[in-house]
Structure formats: C-alpha cells, structure tokens
Amino acid sequence: MNAGDLVEFKCIGAGKIDNPPCSKDGEWRTGVILRKKNLKFEAVDILYRGHVFVALVKNCRLAGAV
C-alpha cells in the first residue's frame, strides 16, 4: 500500500463522523492513503470524509481486494 491508494479500513475513531455516529463500527470504510508511517508498527494516514485518521496497516486492505 502506498500514498494515493484507495483502501478499505477499520478504525473505531472514524465512527464519530459516520451518519448516524458509530453506525459503521466493525465494518470496512473506504478512504485514500495520504502517507505511510513506520513507528514501532506500520500505520497509515487515511483521508475519510474530509478528515484524516490513523489506522494500522493490518486493519487495511486495497479496495476491491477481498
């Protein structure tokens, strides 16, 4: 996964902007990777509904890859 890739991801924090709030918790959301970070773990910044969220790479998959 690289910057610009369309991904599906799971992130509880993104639930605050769902309509209704938290309605998609536990489900895959669709967003765009802005950048990849290598800390003690691999994480990515994802643009979702105009907000940036951080998700672990293990909680992401390329959109369309099932």
Side-chain angles (χ1 to χ4, degrees):
M1 284 183 256
N2 298 305
D5 286 349
L6 185 64
V7 294
E8 295 177 318
F9 68 102
K10 291 186 178 183
C11 175
I12 299 272
K16 63 186 174 190
I17 62 167
D18 288 338
N19 188 11
C22 301
S23 61
K24 295 186 79 173
D25 281 358
E27 296 181 25
W28 293 99
R29 295 175 171 92
T30 303
V32 177
I33 294 180
L34 298 178
R35 72 177 174 149
K36 193 171 187 178
K37 304 178 195 180
N38 286 316
L39 308 167
K40 292 183 179 180
F41 46 85
E42 288 186 41
V44 288
D45 288 339
I46 298 176
L47 180 64
Y48 173 68
R49 293 188 172 188
H51 298 277
V52 178
F53 295 94
V54 178
L56 297 175
V57 169
K58 69 179 185 177
N59 292 333
C60 301
R61 65 184 183 194
L62 291 175
V66 177

